[in-house]
Amino acid sequence: MALPYELLIGLRYTRAKKHNHFISFISLISMLGIALGVAALIVVLSVMNGFQTELRSRILAVVSHVQITGSSGEMVGWQFVAEQAAGHPQVLAAAPFVQAQAMLSYGQAVRGAMVRGILPDQEDRVADFRPHMKSGKLDDLQPDSFNIILGSELARALDVLVGDRVTLIAPQGVVTPAGVIPRLKTFNVVGLFEVGMYEYDSGLALIHLADAQRLYRMDDRVSGVRLKLDDLFKAPQVARTLATSLPINAFISDWTRSHANFFRAVQIEKNMMFIILSLIVAVAAFNIVSTLVMAVTDKQADIAILRTLGASPMSIMMVFIVQGALIGFIGLGLGVAGGVALALNVDVVVPFIERMLGTQFLAKEVYYISNLPSELQWSDVTTIVSVAFVLALVATIYPSWRASRVNPAEALRYE
């Protein structure tokens, strides 16, 4: 099958004449620049996706997809609410909870904490505490046992270990002739958990639901019901549906609202990194301009001969557009191959670099995540390739137009 002569000539012009290797060198630099920019974009966006996914999984280990809370802070007849919510086709499980503030004291140390009363067997269906237990078991929380499980950072701040006894000070006091006396209760530390989120590891304590109801004088009432969905990304829609269908006066929130700042910050940072690194690709793509301008100057006589043989200005433009597009295409191919390979092996490459340099990029004491996660999304790769190829094509327009404007008589005068 015969190819258009514009394509054949453009492919041939990609390599300069033997006596002029400078144009070939500039073409190589343009290819490598595009490849480097595309690879950097793919790797950075993959790491941002991985960070977002890791952050979401750690948050949802503690926070439910949807939370229904009594409008006054307390809910009567939670079994009815859980049954009604479970009727939604996307709700997998429901569990009650009691949540209130308290002070924990051990020796001379005192720390504020959020105390959550749970039913261990039902909490397993809406949260993922069990895989994050450092010591002890969630089943050690039994009714009337007054056992407690602390976050690892909270236990470290109080300097307590499993087996120690901490004093819990509830905000509700007992009125006596001498004044209001805080309600105190001693709890046995039976376990420690660590989800990797400082907010929860340093400020959350778990006790049994019955103990929480007794401690906070809630009788058979609870603070609300937590739900787990089959698709966490549909939490906002499910929350809106339940808000209109549940026959109670309650406040319904989902994880995207309760932790919107985390994910909004990550998304904004991802968008800004895409824009900044796209500028690198743009700079590399516009190196094609200088390559083609020099190629046009070098091929003045050839252009004039083609024009005298009947080639139209549009055909001349297509010759150099093909040349520039080929440079961009090769650079894109190298960049996608390198970027995808690196994004899929970040967990191997980064530790190798850390061992070589003798440092750790993500210190566990500073960051939520101590290893660099990566999640390659092909939609991001498609977007990057599309943007880079468009930039490469745009860069060919001006030099190609200049080539189409070459006057054959002027070009051949000194040949």
Side-chain angles (χ1 to χ4, degrees):
M1 181 178 178
L3 296 176
Y5 75 89
E6 295 93 345
L7 178 60
L8 293 173
I9 297 174
L11 293 175
R12 186 179 177 211
Y13 277 4
T14 304
R15 295 184 62 187
K17 291 180 180 179
K18 292 183 179 180
H19 69 271
N20 191 351
H21 294 287
F22 186 67
I23 297 177
S24 294
F25 176 73
I26 296 299
S27 299
L28 178 62
I29 293 299
S30 301
M31 293 178 189
L32 294 179
I34 293 174
L36 183 61
V38 169
L41 257 176
I42 292 174
V43 173
V44 169
L45 293 188
S46 297
V47 170
M48 295 297 296
N49 293 332
F51 181 77
Q52 191 173 24
T53 301
E54 187 75 15
L55 190 63
R56 182 169 58 239
S57 66
R58 290 172 185 258
I59 288 176
L60 294 181
V62 180
V63 178
S64 58
H65 295 168
V66 177
Q67 182 169 295
I68 306 173
T69 309
S71 56
S72 61
E74 296 183 356
M75 179 183 292
V76 180
W78 66 268
Q79 295 88 346
F80 171 76
V81 176
E83 181 181 351
Q84 292 292 314
H88 193 284
Q90 291 178 325
V91 175
L92 297 179
F97 72 97
V98 170
Q99 190 156 295
Q101 294 181 341
M103 296 288 290
L104 294 175
S105 173
Y106 180 78
Q108 300 298 317
V110 179
R111 289 292 186 274
M114 185 66 68
V115 175
R116 181 183 296 173
I118 61 172
L119 294 175
D121 56 336
Q122 296 192 32
E123 187 70 12
D124 267 343
R125 296 184 292 174
V126 298
D128 296 321
F129 279 107
R130 198 175 297 274
H132 298 282
M133 295 295 296
K134 291 187 64 179
S135 59
K137 298 180 296 183
L138 208 61
D139 296 329
D140 292 335
L141 298 179
Q142 298 294 327
D144 302 322
S145 63
F146 292 100
N147 292 335
I148 190 169
I149 297 176
L150 304 177
S152 58
E153 295 295 332
L154 179 59
R156 187 175 295 112
L158 293 171
D159 196 22
V160 300
L161 300 173
V162 173
D164 291 336
R165 298 171 64 85
V166 298
T167 301
L168 190 150
I169 307 171
Q172 295 90 344
V174 178
V175 180
T176 67
V180 178
I181 300 176
R183 301 186 69 241
L184 307 177
K185 183 62 183 178
T186 301
F187 280 78
N188 305 310
V189 179
V190 294
L192 304 176
F193 68 85
E194 183 174 341
V195 297
M197 290 288 293
Y198 185 79
E199 176 184 356
Y200 301 112
D201 290 341
S202 65
L204 182 62
L206 304 176
I207 62 177
H208 194 275
L209 184 73
D211 295 343
Q213 289 173 326
R214 178 182 296 185
L215 180 67
Y216 292 101
R217 296 180 175 179
M218 298 181 69
D219 298 326
D220 60 347
R221 301 184 301 276
V222 297
S223 299
V225 174
R226 291 148 49 84
L227 308 178
K228 184 174 184 178
L229 310 181
D230 58 356
D231 186 352
L232 60 93
F233 295 105
K234 293 184 179 179
Q237 297 92 312
V238 174
R240 286 193 294 267
T241 302
L242 293 176
T244 57
S245 62
L246 287 179
I248 60 168
N249 187 16
F251 177 74
I252 302 177
S253 64
D254 62 86
W255 67 272
T256 63
R257 293 178 59 188
S258 58
H259 292 83
N261 290 338
F262 278 115
F263 301 104
R264 188 178 297 118
V266 173
Q267 188 61 44
I268 291 174
E269 186 174 358
K270 180 181 176 181
N271 293 338
M272 291 306 299
M273 292 302 294
F274 180 84
I275 294 173
I276 292 170
L277 293 177
S278 293
L279 295 178
I280 298 176
V281 179
V283 170
F286 280 99
N287 280 339
I288 297 175
V289 175
S290 59
T291 302
L292 294 185
V293 167
M294 288 187 291
V296 169
T297 303
D298 188 56
K299 305 294 184 181
Q300 291 272 349
D302 295 354
I303 295 170
I305 292 171
L306 287 172
R307 289 297 308 277
T308 57
L309 291 175
S312 66
M314 181 57 67
S315 295
I316 300 300
M317 283 191 67
M318 288 304 301
V319 168
F320 290 95
I321 288 176
V322 167
Q323 182 181 355
L326 182 61
I327 294 172
F329 184 78
I330 295 174
L332 274 175
L334 295 174
V336 170
V340 169
L342 186 56
L344 293 176
N345 295 280
V346 164
D347 57 338
V348 177
V349 175
V350 172
F352 174 73
I353 296 175
E354 288 179 340
R355 288 194 298 269
M356 285 186 60
L357 300 179
T359 185
Q360 187 176 9
F361 296 145
L362 297 177
K364 189 176 181 181
E365 296 78 14
V366 179
Y367 301 98
Y368 292 133
I369 301 169
S370 58
N371 59 335
L372 202 61
S374 177
E375 181 183 335
L376 180 67
Q377 295 184 0
W378 290 106
S379 58
D380 287 340
V381 176
T382 302
T383 302
I384 293 167
V385 169
S386 302
V387 170
F389 193 67
V390 168
L391 289 174
L393 286 181
V394 169
T396 65
I397 293 177
Y398 174 72
S400 303
W401 177 79
R402 284 285 303 272
S404 69
R405 302 281 293 178
V406 169
N407 188 326
E410 291 292 331
L412 295 174
R413 176 177 297 178
Y414 302 104
E415 292 292 330

